Amino acid sequence: MGLLRLASFVILTAHLFGVHGYLPELRRNRLRTGDDKELPDARLIDCVRGKMILSDFHATHTYTPTQALVRENFFGRFAFTSHGVQPGVLRDGGIGRFSIVKLNHGVLFGKTAFALQPSAVGEYAYWMPQGQHIDVPKHPSANQPHFIFTPDFSGCSWTVTPMSNGMMRVKHVEGGHEDGQFNNLPTEAKGGTTSYAMQFRDYGYVFVNGQLIKHSTAYAYMHYSTSTRAWTLHVQHQTCAPRPGNPTYVDGKITAMKMNYFQHESWQPITGTDFWRIPTGRAHDYFEARRRHLNNHRH
C-alpha cells in the first residue's frame, strides 16, 4: 500500500469510526483542483447498474431543523436533501425560515428521506446558494440563526474563512470552479489569509470490504451550539442515496417528491456521517491557544 493510499485509509477510517477534529486548513489558502482533488486507485460506484426504483415519496411529518438534526437521530439513519428548496429562494443568500419534511414511500416499507424546504412557520436559518458566500457571526446571539443550509454536494467544496470583524465568510464553491470562485480571488474577497474547507476528498470516498470506493454525493450543513459556543460542519456521506426530483408543492410546502431509489447488496445508501469543528481565528493563533490550554490542565 503506497503512502498516499495509506494516508487516505487512515483519514477515511477515522471518519468512519467517528474520530472528529477541526475543519482542515487550506494549504496556501487554495482549494485542490483537477486531478489533485482525487484519490488514486479508487473504484467508481455506478449506481445506475443497481436496482433502481422510480417512485413517489409522500410527506408524512414536518420537523424544525433543531428537531430533525440535533434532537433526533435522523441524520445518521436517513438520506437528507436540499433539492426541495425552490430555485430563486434567497437567490443571493441570506436569512429565511426553513423546516424539514419527512418523505415516505407507501409501498417500499422503511424507505424514508428528509427534505429541506422553505416554511413560513419554520426556523430561521442562513441559506447559501452554490457559488455564493454569506457572512455569519462567529458567535451568534440567541436571536440570530444557528443553522447554515446549502444545496447538496457532488464535487463542490465548503469553505470557511474567519474574519477580523467577528464574522466568518462561508462559501459553497462549485466543483470545477475552484479557481474562479475561490483560489484566484483577492484576499479581501476570500475574507482573510487563512481558510478551512471540506473538499471532495473529505466526503467523496469510502472503504467497502477493504477497497477504496469513490461515490459522488453528500448532504452538509453547519450548526452553532450554544453549549460549546462553536460552529460545526456536519456531512452525510451518501452512496447511491435516493436521487430526488420534481417536488410537488401545496401552499409552498412539499407534499411529494419523485425519487430514483437505488438498491444494491454491496453498500448502503448512507455510509456514515462526520463533523468538524470550525476554528474562529488564524490557524497558528487558534491551535497555539489550544495547546496552551491543554498544557495548563496537565498541571
Side-chain angles (χ1 to χ4, degrees):
M1 181 179 290
L3 290 177
L4 181 57
R5 183 172 170 82
L6 178 60
S8 304
F9 176 81
V10 171
I11 293 171
L12 288 169
T13 301
H15 290 341
L16 290 174
F17 288 93
V19 179
H20 310 284
Y22 292 87
L23 193 64
E25 181 188 351
L26 289 179
R27 295 183 58 189
R28 302 185 299 276
N29 209 22
R30 295 179 62 86
L31 291 165
R32 295 179 180 272
T33 61
D35 292 340
D36 195 37
K37 295 170 57 177
E38 310 290 335
L39 291 175
D41 304 323
R43 180 172 69 88
L44 177 64
I45 289 179
D46 186 357
C47 298
V48 178
R49 294 185 180 181
K51 184 179 180 182
M52 183 176 68
I53 302 171
L54 176 62
S55 191
D56 287 320
F57 282 65
H58 297 278
T60 61
H61 193 79
T62 301
Y63 299 86
T64 68
T66 297
Q67 289 170 333
L69 296 170
V70 180
R71 295 177 185 169
E72 305 289 346
N73 190 30
F74 296 144
F75 195 60
R77 293 183 290 146
F78 304 107
F80 276 70
T81 180
S82 293
H83 187 79
V85 178
Q86 295 164 296
V89 171
L90 295 174
R91 185 182 299 274
D92 297 322
I95 298 174
R97 301 181 79 167
F98 295 86
S99 62
I100 295 178
V101 61
K102 182 179 181 181
L103 300 163
N104 280 90
H105 191 287
V107 177
L108 298 174
F109 178 75
K111 302 304 181 186
T112 301
F114 286 78
L116 182 73
Q117 65 177 5
S119 173
V121 294
E123 192 171 345
Y124 283 108
Y126 294 99
W127 175 252
M128 179 173 62
Q130 286 180 318
Q132 303 281 346
H133 77 263
I134 57 173
D135 292 344
V136 303
K138 295 178 182 179
H139 299 290
S141 68
N143 296 325
Q144 293 174 312
H146 288 185
F147 285 95
I148 304 174
F149 295 121
T150 193
D152 299 354
F153 284 76
S154 57
C156 302
S157 300
W158 186 313
T159 67
V160 181
T161 306
M163 297 191 292
S164 59
N165 60 355
M167 306 289 283
M168 297 190 302
R169 180 152 296 176
V170 186
K171 189 164 190 175
H172 185 145
V173 180
E174 296 172 284
H177 297 273
E178 291 85 3
D179 285 339
Q181 293 182 3
F182 189 84
N183 290 341
N184 295 341
L185 296 179
T187 299
E188 57 270 21
K190 291 182 180 180
T193 58
T194 302
S195 301
Y196 307 87
M198 177 187 75
Q199 303 183 72
F200 183 70
R201 282 190 176 197
D202 299 308
Y203 65 84
Y205 295 86
V206 66
F207 272 95
V208 177
N209 298 325
Q211 185 175 16
L212 184 63
I213 300 297
K214 176 183 176 181
H215 52 99
S216 61
T217 63
Y219 178 86
Y221 71 95
M222 269 178 60
H223 175 245
Y224 182 80
S225 169
T226 54
S227 59
T228 63
R229 288 184 51 79
W231 284 97
T232 50
L233 174 59
H234 299 254
V235 59
Q236 182 184 84
H237 307 273
Q238 298 177 344
T239 310
C240 298
R243 293 181 180 176
N246 301 324
T248 300
Y249 301 92
V250 173
D251 296 329
K253 297 180 180 179
I254 298 173
T255 58
M257 184 183 290
K258 287 188 179 294
M259 292 193 188
N260 289 321
Y261 203 100
F262 299 94
Q263 292 185 325
H264 198 286
E265 296 178 355
S266 300
W267 52 76
Q268 298 296 319
I270 302 170
T271 53
T273 59
D274 205 355
F275 68 90
W276 296 276
R277 187 166 175 168
I278 308 298
T280 56
R282 291 175 59 87
H284 60 84
D285 294 337
Y286 186 86
F287 290 107
E288 176 63 20
R290 186 163 172 263
R291 183 189 64 79
R292 290 197 303 268
H293 174 77
L294 292 174
N295 286 337
N296 291 337
H297 282 76
R298 287 175 181 164
H299 304 289

